[in-house]
Amino acid sequence: MKKRFVPVIASVLLASQFLLAACSNDKEKVDGEEKDKEKTAAYDPNSHLEVSWMAMLHTPTAPTDVVLDKIEEKTNATITFNWVPDASKEERVTSALASGELADIVSLTMLTNSSVRTSLKSGMFWEVGEYLDDYENLKLISEDVRTAASIEGKLYGVPYQKNLARSGLVIRQDWLDKLGLPVPETLDDLYEVARAFTEDDPDGNGKDDTVGFGDRSDLRYSSFKLLSSYFGAPNGWKVEDDGSFISEVETQEYKDAMDFSRDMYKNGYLAQDFAVTAKTDQQNQFAQGKTGIYTGIVDIKNLKDLAKGLQDDMDLVPVNKIKSPDGDYHVWSENSGVGGLLAFPKSEVKTEAELKRVLQFVNDLIDKEVYMLMTGGIEGVHYELEASGAIKILDTDTWKNDVQPFSSQRPSEVTHSLVDADPKKQLANEQISENSDFAVLDPTVPLDSATANERGTELQKILTDATIKYIMGDIDEKDFEAEVKKWREAGGDQMAKEYAEAYKKSQK
């Protein structure tokens, strides 16, 4: 019995295993078919969308719901914003990426941040390159922008389209007039303006209480990055004729810019507290009449608004062209016209159909009506159009509360051309467009480096700290070179090698 029982049991077991295997295969087949159906499922672009959005907040407070309600109406969506203050974005975003606590849409504005690049390459976010041409507005994104926003040829989100180079100076025109100085055209002119604004009592109050250059601790968006480009320094990295890469800090032009800033700091023409000053403090110092030169022509209108009631007679002039020692004009480009990515985590946007609906939402944000809501607000409430087509803000405080935070969330700043009713702001806009003619691009933007992905932020801090210390006179040239050597040995040389290899591949 036992001899016959064992084979029967074995047969039953074999049969069971066969049935289980068959069921398993059938289940896998069904699951696979379901996944295929999910992936290829048609989406309804007219369906109501509930979407969450982790967005960067560049204003002191989040916006009211006045304009948000209109945006939701036009896009057929209910939008839940998770606002991240710009000042703490690096900490908050990297923490969210590490924890996986994300929204349906994540604004990633720090594409050179090692944690961000690593997360994008990890497969955490949808690759969207193949979908853009299916949408009326997204298909207009140029190939150059798509390339610049990609990592190893893969596009992990919809690029924020920005002007190629938005940097420049805002200078107190009324102070220039009082001191009999022309608008600076060369670096020597600019130095003289900084000196005069510090030493020659430009506000006429008889006190030694003004400084030429206001500044802040963010080296990239402070005066130094702009000055280094005026001196002709490369933007981050330089590609040599043989295809090798060298860092900007290893060029004479970068060192000349450091010496220029060091001399201004030593003489008090550059704000002495710049290393611990935040952007909002820098803006307030300018608005209060404590400084006379501000870096960032995009802020010219905001600076004038901040000065109301404090410096009502303030007159400003935007300056985008300062001649370099080589006789030409140069200005650094912010990520080759890419302000970041609107990225879609697979953990939140789970199917292709959901992705397509969210992409439709982003596409709709670029429609002229929605763009105007995010730029000017509601016509008749926040702005009116003048006969010239210029936008005139009716009440600045109301616009700031209801509209301003949305302006930095626009997926594109280049799709629609608007005229500003403020002539100085309009001039600044025209100068920003003109910057494209002599913008200096960062050649590493579309390239990838494993070392940069893993430790780029940490390594950059070595160079940033060394540059600031040199400007402040805390270290000398020998000490600075020692820090550069430390950076090279810690991974700088490896980054240069990896960028060169990636560049070589991209040229094939």
Side-chain angles (χ1 to χ4, degrees):
M1 292 287 295
K2 288 181 182 179
K3 289 182 180 180
R4 292 186 62 187
F5 185 71
V6 173
V8 170
I9 295 295
S11 297
V12 171
L13 287 173
L14 286 170
S16 299
Q17 290 172 355
F18 177 79
L19 288 171
L20 286 172
C23 290
S24 177
N25 289 337
D26 287 343
K27 185 177 185 302
E28 288 177 4
K29 184 178 179 180
V30 170
D31 287 347
E33 290 174 350
E34 287 300 317
K35 286 180 180 179
D36 288 340
K37 286 180 182 178
E38 283 184 354
K39 185 176 181 182
T40 60
Y43 80 104
D44 181 1
N46 299 314
S47 62
H48 184 78
L49 175 69
E50 292 194 4
V51 63
S52 56
W53 186 349
M54 180 184 289
M56 303 303 111
L57 183 65
H58 297 270
T59 55
T61 58
T64 65
D65 290 344
V66 174
V67 171
L68 177 60
D69 290 342
K70 293 292 184 181
I71 294 173
E72 291 180 330
E73 179 184 326
K74 295 296 183 182
T75 59
N76 192 21
T78 299
I79 311 168
T80 301
F81 277 100
N82 177 6
W83 293 104
V84 176
D86 185 66
S88 59
K89 65 182 177 183
E90 191 155 353
E91 176 185 351
R92 292 276 298 274
V93 171
T94 54
S95 176
L97 291 172
S99 66
E101 296 179 0
L102 302 167
D104 299 324
I105 303 173
V106 180
S107 295
L108 297 175
T109 58
M110 308 174 295
L111 294 185
T112 57
N113 179 279
S114 54
S115 296
V116 170
R117 291 184 75 87
T118 298
S119 296
L120 290 170
K121 289 187 65 180
S122 72
M124 183 183 294
F125 297 91
W126 282 90
E127 188 182 342
V128 303
E130 65 180 287
Y131 301 102
L132 298 188
D133 289 340
D134 296 334
Y135 301 88
E136 183 179 1
N137 294 318
L138 301 184
K139 70 181 181 182
L140 300 178
I141 300 174
S142 71
E143 287 301 323
D144 288 342
V145 168
R146 297 187 196 196
T147 298
S150 298
I151 298 178
E152 295 184 331
K154 295 182 178 180
L155 188 58
Y156 295 105
V158 176
Y160 274 105
Q161 298 174 76
K162 302 283 187 181
N163 288 284
L164 201 57
R166 303 186 301 156
S167 196
L169 300 169
V170 176
I171 302 178
R172 289 287 297 262
Q173 178 69 67
D174 52 326
W175 286 10
L176 291 174
D177 294 342
K178 179 175 174 52
L179 299 176
L181 294 171
V183 174
E185 297 180 356
T186 68
L187 285 161
D188 287 341
D189 293 343
L190 184 59
Y191 186 91
E192 172 57 18
V193 170
R195 183 207 64 77
F197 279 6
T198 306
E199 297 180 345
D200 294 349
D201 192 23
D203 58 0
N205 67 356
K207 299 178 181 179
D208 183 18
D209 58 357
T210 57
V211 174
F213 260 100
D215 220 341
R216 63 180 183 263
S217 59
D218 182 346
L219 196 66
R220 182 174 175 83
Y221 293 100
S222 68
S223 66
F224 180 76
K225 183 69 174 178
L226 180 59
L227 288 172
S228 69
S229 68
Y230 286 162
F231 271 96
N235 186 1
W237 293 83
K238 179 182 179 182
V239 185
E240 298 284 61
D241 292 338
D242 62 359
S244 61
F245 277 60
I246 64 169
S247 169
E248 60 185 355
V249 301
E250 300 173 280
T251 66
Q252 186 58 48
E253 293 83 359
Y254 188 95
K255 295 171 185 175
D256 290 343
M258 285 202 305
D259 287 335
F260 186 89
S261 296
R262 182 185 178 101
D263 191 59
M264 285 204 301
Y265 184 84
K266 178 182 178 182
N267 289 306
Y269 311 154
L270 176 65
Q272 300 295 285
D273 60 351
F274 83 92
V276 293
T277 299
K279 178 180 179 179
T280 52
D281 293 327
Q282 179 196 13
Q283 292 174 327
N284 287 327
Q285 289 169 3
F286 188 90
Q288 293 162 8
K290 296 179 180 179
T291 62
I293 306 172
Y294 177 89
T295 306
I297 53 178
V298 294
D299 288 334
I300 188 168
K301 191 172 183 177
N302 187 39
L303 292 170
K304 188 66 185 287
D305 290 339
L306 284 172
K308 287 181 178 178
L310 299 171
Q311 302 274 310
D312 289 330
D313 295 331
M314 174 187 284
D315 186 20
L316 305 178
V317 59
V319 178
N320 70 321
K321 296 166 76 172
I322 297 292
K323 192 168 290 185
S324 175
D326 64 12
D328 292 329
Y329 296 116
H330 311 285
V331 63
W332 70 285
S333 170
E334 302 170 77
N335 297 318
S336 302
V338 178
L341 293 174
L342 288 164
F344 316 104
K346 293 178 179 177
S347 61
E348 311 301 319
V349 182
K350 299 182 183 298
T351 68
E352 186 180 50
E354 292 176 13
L355 173 66
K356 288 182 175 181
R357 180 62 186 92
V358 176
L359 285 171
Q360 181 66 54
F361 167 75
V362 174
N363 178 83
D364 293 345
L365 291 176
I366 307 176
D367 283 346
K368 185 65 175 286
E369 282 188 278
V370 183
Y371 176 86
M372 289 302 296
L373 284 169
M374 300 178 79
T375 304
I378 302 170
E379 187 173 3
V381 176
H382 301 99
Y383 75 94
E384 62 183 22
L385 287 176
E386 298 185 337
S388 63
I391 293 180
K392 180 181 179 181
I393 301 300
L394 299 176
D395 183 89
T396 301
D397 290 337
T398 301
W399 179 82
K400 284 183 176 181
N401 291 332
D402 298 343
V403 187
Q404 189 179 18
F406 293 116
S407 63
S408 58
Q409 311 312 318
R410 296 171 299 177
S412 174
E413 294 181 2
V414 301
T415 304
H416 306 290
S417 297
L418 302 175
V419 178
D420 199 289
D422 184 324
K424 294 298 180 71
K425 175 60 175 174
Q426 180 58 25
L427 177 58
N429 292 341
E430 292 169 2
Q431 290 182 354
I432 288 171
S433 296
E434 185 181 33
N435 279 348
S436 298
D437 296 336
F438 44 87
V440 180
L441 306 186
D442 179 349
T444 68
V445 168
L447 305 178
D448 199 48
S449 157
T451 302
N453 292 342
E454 294 167 6
R455 294 183 290 116
T457 305
E458 164 196 340
L459 290 169
Q460 181 57 43
K461 192 174 186 304
I462 298 173
L463 301 180
T464 297
D465 289 349
T467 300
I468 290 175
K469 288 178 181 178
Y470 184 85
I471 292 171
M472 295 177 67
D474 292 340
I475 61 174
D476 59 19
E477 185 176 356
K478 184 178 179 181
D479 294 328
F480 179 79
E481 293 299 335
E483 289 302 298
V484 173
K485 181 181 179 183
K486 174 182 174 183
W487 167 82
R488 292 182 62 180
E489 292 174 347
D493 282 343
Q494 185 61 27
M495 277 197 294
K497 178 182 178 182
E498 291 165 358
Y499 280 137
E501 292 171 349
Y503 178 75
K504 185 177 180 180
K505 290 179 181 178
S506 71
Q507 299 303 297
K508 292 181 179 179

